[in-house]
Amino acid sequence: MTRTRRLLPLFALPAVSALALAGCASGADADASGADTDAITVVASTDVYADIAQQVAGDAVEVSAIITSSAQDPHDFEPSAQDQLTVSRADLIIENGGGYDSFIDALIDSSGAGAHVITASEFSHDYPGAEEHSDEETEGEHSDEHAEDEHAEDEHAGHDHIEGFNEHVWYDPHTMAHVAEAIAEELAELLPDEAATFEANAEAFAAEIETIEEALAEVDAAHGGARIFVTEPVSVYLAAAAGLDNVTPEAFSEAVEEGQDVPPATLLEALDLLSSGEVALVIANTQTGGAETTQVLDATETDGIPVIEFSETLPEGQTYISWMLENVEAISAALAG
């Protein structure tokens, strides 16, 4: 389900980064910008996870993201030497996993980073093997030892794309509540004096997640069972939580996500489905597309089907909570006509 991703050209980065690291060695307590390098730092693969981490950390921790713009596609992102330096200095790293942001694993390997890594995909109830763990483990016993061992074993095996698993887990608010709790636990290990603050912030974040889930339940009550078409599976978790029925031919969304041509028979199936009058809503991904996606969107105009667009990265000026609430509201308004 994930587009074919090129191996990142990190073979060139160690030499470049060695110079960058050497250049910073003269300032033991500050980086090139004068920032205090003794501060606890969290590095996230995307701004989505950076925002969640900031909500939990508050002002006690420095949080940054490698990808901070919707113009940067996580699937094809090519990190820089500066990105490698940033990861090498991290005290905690947060990634999506599931093959989505494999560049962060490459950065970890090439930089020799020793920070603990939180892999959000592993907190999804759909993640392979998740059924073997109780909710109690998921909600509080995802131990540092487990995370460290898993990262050490088999060079990030399991961080590659998993067949049949939708890696876009940040569109599952329930999973993000678990991720926030894991962030609080990891930060408490790094800054024990702030543990109570981190726990309280994670609980406040979880309470806001409940607000999103209540909004999703309202959509389900009003429109549950409505059939939707998604150009690419980024929004599927949120749509499922709203009780919507994704009827997109799997081969269509897979091809779009992988950056491949949609088979002609599949495209015809999709267009026939849209013209049937059975599809209530089309959800498009603003960061992926192609000729076939354009044909689908053109068909929605002809067939009078509402379209909403979701992105993969955090829109400017939004928090994770406000963003997800806006997405749910967009679904509700589109279905209400």
Side-chain angles (χ1 to χ4, degrees):
M1 287 179 57
T2 302
R3 73 177 66 178
T4 301
R5 292 162 191 169
R6 294 174 293 168
L7 290 175
L8 302 174
L10 286 173
F11 57 83
L13 288 183
V16 176
S17 291
L19 294 175
L21 286 165
C24 294
S26 60
D29 296 324
D31 63 16
S33 65
D36 182 6
T37 56
D38 289 336
I40 296 299
T41 61
V42 176
V43 176
S45 60
T46 72
D47 53 8
V48 175
Y49 292 110
D51 178 77
I52 295 171
Q54 195 71 73
Q55 299 305 311
V56 175
D59 297 329
V61 172
E62 293 183 1
V63 180
S64 64
I66 300 299
I67 290 182
T68 60
S69 168
S70 60
Q72 297 170 306
D73 186 347
H75 299 105
D76 299 324
F77 181 71
E78 296 184 3
S80 67
Q82 182 59 48
D83 294 327
Q84 186 179 18
L85 183 62
T86 298
V87 168
S88 74
R89 290 173 167 173
D91 296 293
L92 176 64
I93 298 168
I94 307 169
E95 66 175 0
N96 184 83
Y100 177 76
D101 46 7
S102 55
F103 69 85
I104 199 75
D105 290 317
L107 285 170
I108 291 168
D109 289 339
S110 62
S111 68
H116 284 179
V117 179
I118 292 175
T119 302
S121 291
E122 295 174 7
F123 293 87
S124 170
H125 291 299
D126 289 342
Y127 191 80
E131 66 277 2
E132 298 173 6
H133 305 287
S134 65
D135 281 346
E136 288 76 18
E137 179 178 354
T138 303
E139 293 174 3
E141 299 175 10
H142 191 81
S143 68
D144 292 343
E145 181 180 355
H146 171 73
E148 186 173 21
D149 289 347
E150 190 167 77
H151 220 74
E153 292 174 5
D154 204 17
E155 295 186 357
H156 309 297
H159 294 174
D160 295 330
H161 174 64
I162 301 167
E163 188 66 30
F165 174 67
N166 180 0
E167 67 269 27
H168 304 95
V169 296
W170 67 95
Y171 266 97
D172 180 359
H174 187 73
T175 294
M176 293 304 99
H178 295 325
V179 171
E181 186 173 12
I183 292 170
E185 291 172 359
E186 291 282 359
L187 291 178
E189 291 289 330
L190 294 167
L191 286 175
D193 291 346
E194 300 288 342
T197 298
F198 300 143
E199 181 179 2
N201 289 345
E203 289 174 354
F205 182 82
E208 292 187 289
I209 290 291
E210 289 180 5
T211 301
I212 298 173
E213 292 178 329
E214 289 168 2
L216 287 165
E218 291 176 4
V219 176
D220 190 2
H223 307 288
R227 307 180 84 189
I228 65 166
F229 185 103
V230 298
T231 61
E232 193 261 4
V234 66
S235 60
V236 168
Y237 283 116
L238 199 68
L244 307 181
D245 181 15
N246 176 24
V247 296
T248 313
E250 187 174 355
F252 184 97
S253 55
E254 280 187 355
V256 172
E257 188 181 21
E258 292 170 1
Q260 300 176 355
D261 292 336
V262 176
T266 301
L267 177 59
L268 181 59
E269 179 185 0
L271 295 175
D272 286 346
L273 181 63
L274 293 170
S275 65
S276 70
E278 298 178 1
V279 175
L281 174 66
V282 170
I283 303 178
N285 183 344
T286 62
Q287 290 173 250
T288 61
E292 295 89 354
T293 297
T294 299
Q295 285 184 261
V296 163
L297 296 179
D298 288 344
T300 63
E301 294 186 14
T302 302
D303 300 320
I305 304 171
V307 177
I308 56 178
E309 294 185 327
F310 287 173
S311 63
E312 298 189 30
T313 52
L314 197 64
E316 185 176 355
Q318 296 270 30
T319 65
Y320 175 79
I321 297 296
S322 67
W323 179 37
M324 284 300 123
L325 281 172
E326 185 175 274
N327 287 333
V328 177
E329 290 166 3
I331 291 173
S332 179
L335 290 173

